[in-house]
Amino acid sequence: MNTCKATVRVLVAHRLYIVIYLVLIGIMMFAISGAQLFGSRDASADTYEPGRATVAVIDRDGNRGHIAETMRAYLADGNDLTELEDRSETLQQAVASHWVDLIVIIPEGYADKLLDSAVSGGSAPAVETVTSYVSGAGAMASMNVSGFLSMTRTALVGGNVSVTDEDWIAKYGESAGGQSGGSPVAGSGAQEFDWSSIVGASGASGATGDAGAHQSVTLDMLPEGRLKSLTLDDLAAAAGEVRDVAGDRKANPAIAVDHSDARADAVDTTDAAVSGFGTTMKTALYPLFLAMTVCTALVLGVFNEGETRRRLFASPQRSSVMGMQRMAALCAFALIVVVAYLAAAVALMLVAGLDLSRLSPAGVAMTTASACVYALMTVACGFLLGECDFSEVMANGFANLFGLLIMFTSGISLPLDMMPEVMLAIGRMLPGWWYCVAVDDALGIGTASAGGVDVAGWATSTGLVALFGVTFLCVGLAVGRLRRSRPVSVAPATTQLA
C-alpha cells in the first residue's frame, strides 16, 4: 500500500505532463470530434443550394418595357437585392468595400435597342455589370442576368412571329399556297394542308401517306416568318413570361438526387450517434498514449534512480512485489482515464443533440474494453522506456514521435482511401491501427460498415493490441534484468590521500 501511495505522489509531482498531454491535447481532440458531431446533427439535404449574391440594379432607362422591375423580380429568387444611389462615387465604394457582389446598370435607351435587335435578328444588347473580384456568387449572378435578357429576347421573338401565305409561297412556290386555300399555320385550312407535297418537294423519300409525311417534317422546312411592329408592351409581356416560368417550380424544378435505383449496399445507413461515438473514442488514441507513456516512464525512472533503487533493494519487501504494486497503481490510473474519456464522449454527444439510445450496450462495452486494453498497452510501453533508463527528454521525444506516427497511420487523421500503401503497411504494424479496427468491429462503422458488427474481428484486433502490450512488457523485463545483472556503483566518490 505504501508503494502505491508513493507511486501516486510521484505521479502527482509530474502533473504538468498530465495537464498538457491528457487535458489540453484531449480538449483539442474533443474539439475535432465535436465539430464532426455537430456537423452530422444537421440532416444533409440532397438538393443543391447555391450561394446568394448581393445584387444592385441601377435603372437609367426609366423602367421602359418593365425591364428593370422584372429583372429585379427574376434575380430576387436566388439573390439578395439592395438599393444603391446612382452616383459614381457610391458605386465605386460599394464594389471596393464588397458591399455588393454585382451591380447591373441598365443604360438609357436599352429597351428600344432590345426591340431593334429582335426585329433585325441581331444579338441582344448587353447591360453594364460590375462584379466584385472576390465573389464567385457575383459572377454566377451576372450569368443569370445574361440568361434573363437572352430568354426575354427569345420570348419576344417567339411570341410575336407570324407566318402568312406569302411566306409559304415564297418558300415552296404556288403549289404550297393552293393546296387548301391557306397556310398550314394560319387560316382555316391548317388541318387539311397536304404536307406530302412539301415533303416531296424537299427531296424526302420513302414516306408515303399522311403519317409518313408528318414524320419527315422538320423546322428547316418551315418558312422563317416575320415580326409585326413590336412595342414596349410586347417587351413587358415577354419579360413577365420569363419571370413567371423561372418562378414556376413545376416547370423549373430544383436539382435533386434520385436514390430510387441505388443499390442497397451502396447506401450508408450508419447511425450518426454510433459513428460519432466511435470516432470520439478513437481520438483517445493520441492523448492517452502521450500521457500514460511519459508518466509511466518518469514514475519508474524515479524509482530506478541509483540511490532510491539501492534503498529499495535493501528493504525487507521483495523488489518484484513493489514493482507489481507500482504497475498496478499506474494501470488503475490508466483505466480511470479511460472511464473519464468515456464520460466526456457521452457528454459531448448529449450536447450535440445525438440520441444515445441508438448505441448498442454490447457495442459500447466492447469499445470500452478495447480502450482499456489500449490504455494498459501504453502503460507497458512506458514501462519499457523506464526500464531502458530513458531520461525525461528522451521519453517525451519518443512518446511524441511514436504517438504522431500511430495517429497518422491509424486512419483517424486521414481517410483510409487517401492514404498511400506505404502508410497503410506501416499502420498495420502499429497498435493504433488495430485499436481503431477493434472500435469499428465493435460498432459496425468505418472499416466494418459493410459487414456490420463483427465480434470475432473485434476480439482478434483487441488481442493484437494486448499482444503489443505483452511484447513491451517482456522486452522491458528483459532489459531490466540485464541492467540489474550489471550494477553500476552508486556510492559517492571519496577523496583518497596520496
Side-chain angles (χ1 to χ4, degrees):
M1 182 60 67
N2 291 332
T3 303
C4 294
K5 292 181 179 179
T7 303
V8 173
R9 286 198 297 268
V10 175
L11 194 61
V12 173
H14 295 87
R15 57 184 175 273
L16 179 62
Y17 291 106
I18 299 177
V19 172
I20 295 175
Y21 289 149
L22 198 59
V23 178
L24 297 183
I25 296 184
I27 291 175
M28 180 185 70
M29 303 305 289
F30 272 124
I32 297 175
S33 299
Q36 297 178 354
L37 292 178
F38 281 94
S40 63
R41 181 182 61 179
D42 301 329
S44 57
D46 284 333
T47 302
Y48 171 66
E49 297 179 359
R52 300 178 65 88
T54 303
V55 181
V57 178
I58 306 299
D59 182 20
R60 296 176 179 174
D61 197 30
N63 196 31
R64 301 180 73 243
H66 298 282
I67 290 295
E69 177 185 350
T70 312
M71 181 184 293
R72 290 191 180 97
Y74 179 86
L75 294 176
D77 186 30
N79 305 278
D80 298 324
L81 298 182
T82 186
E83 297 291 336
L84 288 179
E85 187 180 357
D86 188 9
R87 294 174 55 245
S88 176
E89 181 181 353
T90 303
L91 300 180
Q92 293 177 8
Q93 185 177 2
V95 175
S97 60
H98 313 308
W99 176 259
V100 295
D101 299 312
L102 174 67
I103 297 178
V104 182
I105 302 175
I106 302 177
E108 184 179 358
Y110 180 81
D112 295 331
K113 294 179 181 178
L114 187 57
L115 292 174
D116 294 341
S117 69
V119 175
S120 63
S123 58
V127 296
E128 301 178 21
T129 58
V130 182
T131 307
S132 174
Y133 63 89
V134 297
S135 172
M140 294 296 295
S142 178
M143 296 174 61
N144 291 339
V145 172
S146 301
F148 167 76
L149 297 175
S150 177
M151 288 187 292
T152 298
R153 181 183 179 279
T154 301
L156 179 63
V157 174
N160 296 279
V161 68
S162 61
V163 180
T164 64
D165 291 342
E166 289 77 8
D167 297 323
W168 287 97
I169 294 173
K171 186 172 182 65
Y172 294 105
E174 293 293 337
S175 60
Q179 297 294 330
S180 61
S183 71
V185 177
S188 60
Q191 301 299 328
E192 303 173 359
F193 186 79
D194 187 5
W195 285 95
S196 60
S197 62
I198 295 180
V199 175
S202 302
S205 61
T208 60
D210 250 0
H214 279 284
Q215 292 175 357
S216 303
V217 174
T218 63
L219 291 177
D220 295 336
M221 299 169 59
L222 300 177
E224 292 184 5
R226 64 188 67 187
L227 284 173
K228 63 181 182 180
S229 299
L230 299 178
T231 64
L232 293 177
D233 292 336
D234 297 329
L235 179 59
E241 182 180 355
V242 172
R243 177 200 58 201
D244 295 339
V245 172
D248 187 358
R249 293 307 178 190
K250 294 182 179 180
N252 190 26
I255 299 175
V257 180
D258 183 11
H259 293 297
S260 58
D261 296 330
R263 297 181 306 168
D265 58 350
V267 180
D268 185 11
T269 57
T270 302
D271 190 86
V274 178
S275 178
F277 175 75
T279 302
T280 305
M281 292 304 297
K282 287 180 186 179
T283 57
L285 177 148
Y286 183 55
L288 193 59
F289 182 85
L290 286 179
M292 295 313 305
T293 300
V294 173
C295 290
T296 302
L298 294 181
V299 169
L300 297 182
V302 170
F303 287 96
N304 288 334
E305 288 181 355
E307 188 66 24
T308 304
R309 184 175 60 183
R310 188 163 65 93
R311 292 180 178 179
L312 292 175
F313 283 160
S315 66
Q317 192 174 9
R318 296 181 59 181
S319 60
S320 59
V321 175
M322 290 187 292
M324 293 177 62
Q325 291 177 351
R326 289 194 294 269
M327 290 299 295
L330 292 170
C331 289
F333 175 67
L335 296 179
I336 292 174
V337 171
V338 171
V339 173
Y341 208 94
L342 176 64
V346 172
L348 186 62
M349 294 180 62
L350 290 175
V351 173
L354 299 179
D355 186 9
L356 295 180
S357 63
R358 304 294 297 177
L359 297 177
S360 169
V364 174
M366 289 189 292
T367 302
T368 306
S370 297
C372 291
V373 172
Y374 178 81
L376 297 178
M377 184 276 302
T378 61
V379 175
C381 183
F383 171 78
L384 173 61
L385 299 184
E387 291 298 314
C388 291
D389 199 19
F390 271 38
S391 65
E392 184 174 346
V393 175
M394 294 174 62
N396 277 279
F398 175 85
N400 279 276
L401 291 177
F402 198 66
L404 288 174
L405 181 62
I406 289 177
M407 183 177 67
F408 283 110
T409 57
S410 62
I412 63 173
S413 299
L414 297 173
L416 296 180
D417 54 358
M418 294 180 58
M419 295 171 58
E421 291 296 331
V422 176
M423 290 185 64
L424 294 175
I426 295 175
R428 292 187 179 94
M429 295 185 290
L430 299 175
W433 171 280
W434 298 108
Y435 167 68
C436 292
V437 172
V439 175
D440 290 342
D441 290 332
L443 300 174
I445 61 175
T447 56
S449 59
V453 177
D454 185 2
V455 178
W458 166 81
T460 302
S461 301
T462 305
L464 287 174
V465 177
L467 285 178
F468 275 99
V470 172
T471 301
F472 291 147
L473 190 63
C474 292
V475 175
L477 291 173
V479 172
R481 184 174 180 83
L482 182 63
R483 289 178 62 245
R484 294 181 182 89
S485 64
R486 299 177 182 179
V488 179
S489 176
V490 294
T494 58
T495 302
Q496 296 180 357
L497 298 177

